[in-house]
Amino acid sequence: MLLNQLSVGTPVIIKIERNGFDKQISSKVESIKNGNVNLLAPMDGVKYIQLSKSEAIEVIAVINGGIIRWTCRLIQTNYKDIIPTITLHSDKPGITYNRRNAFRVSVYRDITYECKGKLYKGILNNISILGVSILSKEKHKVGGIISFDIKLLNEMVNIKAQIIRHPIKVKDSDLIDYGAALFDKDNKLIRKYVYEVQRIQLQNRHKATS
């Protein structure tokens, strides 16, 4: 899927690097024209982030349950518009990560997580090598960043993820289910934990059917 095949109004995340750290900013598709895509200009607080035509810009979207990532180049900035936008172009199809098919491990542990500088109580519902499901009574928006510490395989790990799925109300409960994509998709401890649980479950399934 090419970047210009996105639909107007599609929520996306713009990923850039600043001072050695990745920044992920929520945005959405404003218009598509001449093979280019106009997105809401990224902001840091109340200031617009100045982008360079020489820097690597990544656009991330959730389409049909899969995470798609495009590497783009900046065509122009449109800060004089009523709604400031940036124009991006990508010649290559996006890389798809099917997070619905990623093996998810049920955890269901109480956690204290941080979002926008505040601490909240919640439940880590499940985890995969790509993302987490968090249950909470609090209301958060798509694009919000969640972080928390949890022990996996007797080691503490800090998990940082960005909400990418619109909240789902849990039936017969006051809890809300948030799907969030991990910032660190190469976390060796999370990968080891998920694969170990998968191995045990497959062994148990084999024993039950043999």
Side-chain angles (χ1 to χ4, degrees):
M1 183 180 190
L2 292 171
L3 182 67
N4 60 12
Q5 292 175 304
L6 285 171
S7 301
V8 172
T10 300
V12 300
I13 293 170
I14 300 172
K15 180 181 175 182
I16 56 175
E17 182 180 311
R18 286 293 184 275
N19 300 319
F21 295 94
D22 285 341
K23 291 184 70 72
Q24 298 194 28
I25 306 104
S26 298
S27 183
K28 72 172 182 176
V29 179
E30 280 293 298
S31 63
I32 302 169
K33 187 176 181 181
N34 299 328
N36 300 325
V37 175
N38 286 337
L39 305 178
L40 287 179
M43 297 184 68
D44 186 1
V46 296
K47 295 182 179 179
Y48 291 107
I49 299 175
Q50 298 291 328
L51 299 178
S52 165
K53 292 184 178 181
S54 62
E55 71 178 303
I57 302 170
E58 190 173 26
V59 172
I60 306 168
V62 178
I63 307 292
N64 296 325
I67 301 173
I68 307 181
R69 296 170 175 260
W70 296 267
T71 300
C72 310
R73 57 187 173 88
L74 178 69
I75 302 298
Q76 65 180 12
T77 58
N78 315 295
Y79 293 121
K80 293 182 180 179
D81 293 349
I82 297 176
I83 302 176
T85 62
I86 56 173
T87 303
L88 300 178
H89 182 81
S90 178
D91 296 314
K92 298 180 180 180
I95 299 174
T96 301
Y97 301 84
N98 194 332
R99 62 184 298 274
R100 290 197 184 276
N101 289 338
F103 187 84
R104 285 177 280 184
V105 173
S106 179
V107 181
Y108 214 81
R109 284 196 227 164
D110 291 334
I111 59 170
T112 298
Y113 67 91
E114 181 180 351
C115 186
K116 291 189 174 181
K118 295 183 179 180
L119 296 178
Y120 302 95
K121 296 292 184 180
I123 298 170
L124 175 59
N125 186 30
N126 60 55
I127 186 171
S128 77
I129 61 174
L130 298 179
V132 293
S133 164
I134 303 292
L135 305 180
S136 175
K137 295 181 181 179
E138 305 296 331
K139 293 183 178 180
H140 304 297
K141 294 181 179 180
V142 172
I145 295 173
I146 290 174
S147 64
F148 59 94
D149 294 323
I150 193 167
K151 182 177 284 189
L152 300 176
L153 300 175
N154 295 317
E155 291 186 47
M156 292 300 297
V157 58
N158 176 260
I159 293 178
K160 185 177 181 181
Q162 186 157 34
I163 299 171
I164 59 171
R165 186 186 70 205
H166 288 287
I168 300 173
K169 185 77 168 60
V170 178
K171 187 177 180 181
D172 300 324
S173 169
D174 55 357
L175 294 173
I176 302 170
D177 186 355
Y178 294 97
L182 295 178
F183 276 73
D184 182 5
K185 292 181 174 55
D186 294 316
N187 188 297
K188 293 181 180 178
L189 182 59
I190 293 176
R191 188 177 295 270
K192 183 178 178 182
Y193 174 78
V194 171
Y195 287 170
E196 178 65 15
V197 173
Q198 184 180 26
R199 182 185 65 81
I200 293 171
Q201 291 185 359
L202 290 174
Q203 282 183 343
N204 292 339
R205 188 179 303 170
H206 178 72
K207 290 177 181 178
T209 56
S210 60

